[in-house]
Each structure stands twice: as C-alpha cells, then as structure tokens.
Amino acid sequence: MHRPDLSTDIDETLSVLSDLVRAGKLMAIGTSDFPAEQLVEAQWTADRRSHIPFRTEQPPYSVFVRGIEADVLPTAQKYGLGVLTWSPLNSGWLTGRFRRGEPIETNLFRQAVAHKFDLDLPGNQRKLDAVERLSALADEAGISLTHLALAFASTHPGVTSVILGARTVEQLTDQLAASGVQLDDEILDRIDEIVAPGVTLNPADFDYRRPALTDSEQRRRPAHHRSPPRRPRGSYRSYMQDQFRGRSLIRCVPQELRTAVTRAANSPANST
C-alpha cells in the first residue's frame, strides 16, 4: 500500500487485502512511506480483527535522509517487519554528481521533484557541504562515494534490503559491487559526525508529509477556543472581588457540599 489513505479506515483496508491473500491473489502485503504510529495501528488492528498483517515497509533511507532511524526502523524491528529502503543515493546526490559551484542540469525527473535539487533551499546547501566531507571520507577509506552510501544504507540492523535505482547496465554493475563493502565503526562514526543519526538534511526529500504537519487546521484550535478570558490587571484579591461582587459566596458551593457541612456543624461531636 503506497502511502496512508486517511479517507479509509485501516480496518477496512486490511480486511480487503486479507481477503485477496486468502484467495491466493496476493502472497503478502506491505506499506510504503508509513509513519511509525500508523504501522503500529495497522499491526494492532490486524491482531484485534484477525486480519493478515503487513509484512514489509518501504521507506526512503540514505546518509542524507535518516529520519526513519528515530521511529520507523525501531518500530519495524519490534513488530518483525521487513524493511526495503529506497533512494539510497538520494536521487544522485550521493554519487558526487552535484558539487558546490557547479550548476545542476535539469531533466524531466528533476523538474518533477524540483524541491530536491533547488539550491536556494538551506537543506540542499547542507547537502553540498556534506558531499565534500563524505567524498573525502570515501577517499580515505579507499572506496567510491557511491559504494560508501550503499554500504551505509544496508548497515542498519533494521534494514532487510536496499532497492537500487540504476538506470544503465554500467550503473547497475557498479552498484552491485557495493554488496561486498563493509564499513567499520570508525567510518560509521565519521558519517554520524557529518550527518547526525535521525536527521534529514532536506525535509522536502520526504515525498509523503503527514497531514498533521501540512494541514493547518489540525495544528490550530478554533480561534474562539485558543485562550481563556484574560484576567483584568490588578491584584488577585481585587480580581476575585470583581468576580463575586454582589454574589453570596455560599451560593457558589455545590448544594451537596453545603448540606454535608451543615450536618457536620450540627452533629453532637461539635455541640461542645
């Protein structure tokens, strides 16, 4: 299931997909770009309603897009989900193709996702800086930047497999050679210094953004509910006097409490 469908209850979605699996039309079901909380909801719903659960999640993951390390990957590990990550080279950024001071050539793909290549965005400026440091690190390790990035993407224990995006036989041959590259702790620590764990340099790289962030109505109370009435300036005593001016304080006490207080006051224990 490619991205959450908030207009359809997950129970209904899982019910239909489970019927298709049981009918032999599907072997297994999975998700793509699901936030961690919706993965959890889907697992709980499948358990409660006896549906077939999702088996895999397919999120973006690379040195430049590490947001899933904070929630999606730990959630997948907890529930036994396979994780098939995509865009390990961050649309070509981690091949070293784009460097500071050099214009980025446009094509149909880059025009369609211009936010990923717009050098006016601070996130993409951070990528240019990181590419220089990562390239130097790859040189020290004696490997290409492409192999460094691919090896990184498969290092996390929550990642089951990495989806390659090669367009030519030459690219595919080169990327497959990265399967034999292993990064030691020193190299991984250096990568963490360049891009911290859980950080995504350009938030626009996430193709799916949660409505809780994009829909302003979900982030704001109605205007008439946003704040309580302001207390007038002055002392608290004068404020309370204004509130109860002309009113008997005893009337502000619930009837049940007034009755209980009266009984206690008139009880024999208090007669003395």
Side-chain angles (χ1 to χ4, degrees):
M1 182 177 175
H2 194 59
R3 301 179 186 173
D5 178 7
L6 300 183
S7 64
T8 306
D9 191 276
I10 192 65
D11 180 32
E12 182 177 349
T13 299
L14 285 169
S15 176
V16 172
L17 293 175
S18 296
D19 288 344
L20 293 173
V21 173
R22 294 183 178 115
K25 299 183 182 297
L26 299 175
M27 294 185 64
I29 56 177
T31 59
S32 180
D33 292 350
F34 266 48
E37 67 272 14
Q38 289 181 307
L39 290 174
V40 172
E41 181 184 3
Q43 294 297 311
W44 286 3
T45 301
D47 181 64
R48 289 196 305 266
R49 302 284 289 169
S50 298
H51 297 319
I52 293 175
F54 291 125
R55 303 297 186 188
T56 65
E57 161 59 13
Q58 182 179 297
Y61 183 53
S62 69
V63 175
F64 286 172
V65 181
R66 302 184 62 174
I68 64 170
E69 292 174 339
D71 46 24
V72 170
L73 288 176
T75 298
Q77 289 176 283
K78 179 175 181 177
Y79 289 97
L81 290 169
V83 176
L84 313 176
T85 62
W86 57 274
S87 195
L89 299 178
N90 195 230
S91 300
W93 277 93
L94 288 164
T95 64
R97 181 185 308 166
F98 311 124
R99 310 299 283 261
R100 185 170 294 284
E102 301 177 7
I104 296 179
E105 295 183 11
T106 59
N107 56 28
L108 292 178
F109 169 73
R110 292 171 196 155
Q111 289 175 358
V113 289
H115 53 279
K116 296 185 178 184
F117 302 96
D118 184 356
L119 296 182
D120 289 332
L121 294 179
N124 290 332
Q125 286 294 317
R126 289 192 288 269
K127 287 184 187 181
L128 290 174
D129 294 335
V131 164
E132 299 302 325
R133 298 175 65 186
L134 289 168
S135 296
L137 178 60
D139 290 341
E140 290 181 30
I143 57 179
S144 68
L145 178 56
T146 297
H147 286 186
L148 178 79
L150 291 174
F152 169 86
S154 62
T155 297
H156 195 289
V159 173
T160 308
S161 184
V162 176
I163 300 174
L164 303 179
R167 292 185 296 105
T168 66
V169 173
E170 180 181 2
Q171 290 178 355
L172 179 60
T173 302
D174 177 57
Q175 292 180 25
L176 289 175
S179 62
V181 176
Q182 293 186 348
L183 305 179
D184 59 29
D185 288 343
E186 180 181 356
I187 296 295
L188 292 171
D189 288 342
R190 296 274 298 278
I191 292 175
D192 288 348
E193 292 174 1
I194 298 171
V195 181
V199 169
T200 295
L201 293 184
N202 180 12
D205 280 345
F206 276 110
D207 290 335
Y208 172 77
R209 296 195 65 198
R210 306 177 191 186
L213 299 178
T214 59
D215 184 357
S216 62
E217 291 187 0
Q218 295 191 32
R219 294 183 281 106
R220 301 170 186 170
R221 296 179 185 274
H224 58 286
H225 288 161
R226 290 180 190 173
S227 61
R230 287 189 176 184
R231 196 178 79 186
R233 291 184 177 182
S235 68
Y236 182 76
R237 181 177 180 180
S238 62
Y239 169 71
M240 294 301 295
Q241 288 175 341
D242 290 340
Q243 292 295 308
F244 294 103
R245 192 181 305 279
R247 298 171 59 191
S248 171
L249 287 179
I250 195 64
R251 292 182 181 177
C252 300
V253 179
Q255 178 63 44
E256 295 83 356
L257 181 58
R258 296 192 336 229
T259 302
V261 170
T262 301
R263 289 176 179 174
N266 295 330
S267 67
N270 294 323
S271 61
T272 59

